[in-house]
Amino acid sequence: MAGALAHPLSLPRSQTPPTPGAPKRFPQITLEQIAPEGQQLAQDIIKLSSVGLAGPYNVMFRSPVYADRLNKLLDYLRFNTSLPTRLNEFAIIIQGNEWKSQIEWFAHYPLALKAGLLQQIADDVKKGVRPANMKPDEEVVYDVSMALIRTHNVPDELFNRAKAILGEQQLVDLVAVSGTYVGVAMLLALGQEMPPEGKPLPFPAN
């Protein structure tokens, strides 16, 4: 059928930059362009974001109410979640790698290392292999994340192990942060948002 997408396996696996010379899908929004009711949110984002109003925020602000609601969720998932930061950032880079999301990996790989995740573990994730030398809680984060990605299911044995190690709230927060950053990766793909100019792409463009 004309205009139909190719089979998914034949599509590029990395989020690709805009065609050279093509206009940006969503022109970069500036603080001055944001309505008065969104000014405080925008200023708060600028204070915390490594990419300012670029990246997902540039796309989010096209729907101001959504931007506000999503930012509240991101605030919880980044700064108030029950998961230790090391595990939270680990979950984010697992999804960033799955989506080959240039900005998610660019932004969260250093945050994961800063939070105490071994570089070898993060690098193994990027290579697409199950990391060696994980702690028990890291194994649970990886195994639950990959089970949901690959099979859309969590087997009883894995669920019971994850619940015993993380507890109910951390296990739910793990799924919450993973699903939210899939959504963020989709926003980034929609807008073809890339790391700051001059920074290398974490994943080769297909």
Side-chain angles (χ1 to χ4, degrees):
M1 183 173 65
L5 288 175
H7 189 280
L9 292 179
S10 69
L11 293 174
R13 284 287 295 142
S14 298
Q15 292 187 1
T16 54
T19 303
K24 190 174 173 67
R25 286 183 172 178
F26 294 95
Q28 179 58 54
I29 200 164
T30 66
L31 191 59
E32 294 71 28
Q33 293 171 318
I34 295 173
E37 59 269 24
Q39 283 288 317
Q40 187 58 56
L41 171 60
Q43 291 177 25
D44 291 344
I45 287 171
I46 289 171
K47 291 176 185 176
L48 296 173
S49 168
S50 61
V51 293
L53 292 177
Y57 304 106
N58 187 44
V59 183
M60 285 162 53
F61 266 103
R62 266 56 192 194
S63 180
V65 174
Y66 168 67
D68 180 62
R69 304 291 169 80
L70 180 56
N71 190 64
K72 286 182 171 66
L73 178 59
L74 290 172
D75 179 75
Y76 171 72
L77 294 173
R78 287 287 312 283
F79 306 113
N80 298 289
T81 177
S82 64
L83 279 172
T85 306
R86 168 179 51 89
L87 300 182
N88 208 51
E89 293 295 334
F90 187 26
I92 294 171
I93 65 169
I94 289 170
Q95 298 300 334
N97 180 68
E98 178 65 19
W99 278 80
K100 297 295 182 282
S101 180
Q102 309 287 5
I103 286 187
E104 268 191 10
W105 190 272
F106 171 81
H108 289 277
Y109 174 79
L111 292 175
L113 302 188
K114 182 179 179 181
L117 189 72
L118 293 179
Q119 183 173 349
Q120 173 202 339
I121 292 175
D123 291 347
D124 281 349
V125 167
K126 194 176 181 186
K127 293 173 186 174
V129 299
R130 189 177 193 277
N133 302 319
M134 289 188 289
K135 298 174 182 177
D137 56 1
E138 293 165 348
E139 288 184 338
V140 161
V141 167
Y142 184 84
D143 291 344
V144 169
S145 298
M146 296 309 295
L148 289 170
I149 288 168
R150 300 299 183 220
T151 71
H152 302 173
N153 184 47
V154 179
D156 287 343
E157 179 279 326
L158 176 55
F159 173 81
N160 291 332
R161 175 161 57 94
K163 183 178 175 182
I165 291 174
L166 296 181
E168 291 183 350
Q169 183 176 356
Q170 288 190 7
L171 184 53
V172 171
D173 280 353
L174 168 61
V175 173
V177 73
S178 299
T180 299
Y181 274 85
V182 168
V184 171
M186 288 182 175
L187 289 174
L188 293 166
L190 178 68
Q192 288 188 323
E193 296 288 337
M194 294 290 126
E197 188 174 355
K199 299 293 184 181
L201 295 179
F203 305 104
N206 299 86

